[in-house]
Amino acid sequence: MDVQSEFRVGKVGQYWAVFRGANQVTPTFVRHEEAEDRKQRLARRAASKTRPCITCTALFRSEGKHNRMCPGCRTRAASSDWISRVNL
């Protein structure tokens, strides 16, 4: 079973909530879309794991193989790239 299918959105009275198995894991939401958004965030978080940054080796929560730089290094890399393009 993949992480995405561990979570589902279900009715709680006239409202919506996210369930993991039989357990409700979120408060209720008025709109179905709000519950779906929360389900997606929970699934991404559950699929993430701690990895070392390829730049500074600090451990951070990575969302997958595509995400190998910590947020700090990613921000510095993006801002230095922007500065280098401006100074052409």
Side-chain angles (χ1 to χ4, degrees):
M1 176 188 279
D2 68 342
V3 174
Q4 184 68 29
S5 63
E6 286 182 33
F7 297 96
R8 67 177 177 79
V9 173
K11 288 285 264 181
V12 178
Q14 62 183 0
Y15 301 105
W16 300 93
V18 180
F19 293 83
R20 190 174 199 172
N23 300 320
Q24 182 177 335
V25 294
T26 66
T28 56
F29 299 94
V30 173
R31 295 177 42 235
H32 183 267
E33 294 80 17
E34 292 173 311
E36 282 291 337
D37 288 345
R38 181 67 62 89
K39 179 185 102 169
Q40 296 298 325
R41 286 194 328 212
L42 289 170
R44 279 195 310 271
R45 179 73 179 171
S48 69
K49 64 182 182 178
T50 302
R51 290 189 163 88
C53 174
I54 61 171
T55 305
C56 70
T57 69
L59 296 178
F60 73 104
R61 293 294 289 186
S62 169
E63 290 185 2
K65 293 189 291 186
H66 65 281
N67 181 214
R68 296 295 187 182
M69 287 177 78
C70 71
C73 288
R74 185 175 302 280
T75 300
R76 282 188 294 282
S79 63
S80 66
D81 180 53
W82 179 82
I83 290 169
S84 67
R85 282 186 280 142
V86 170
N87 291 331
L88 292 176

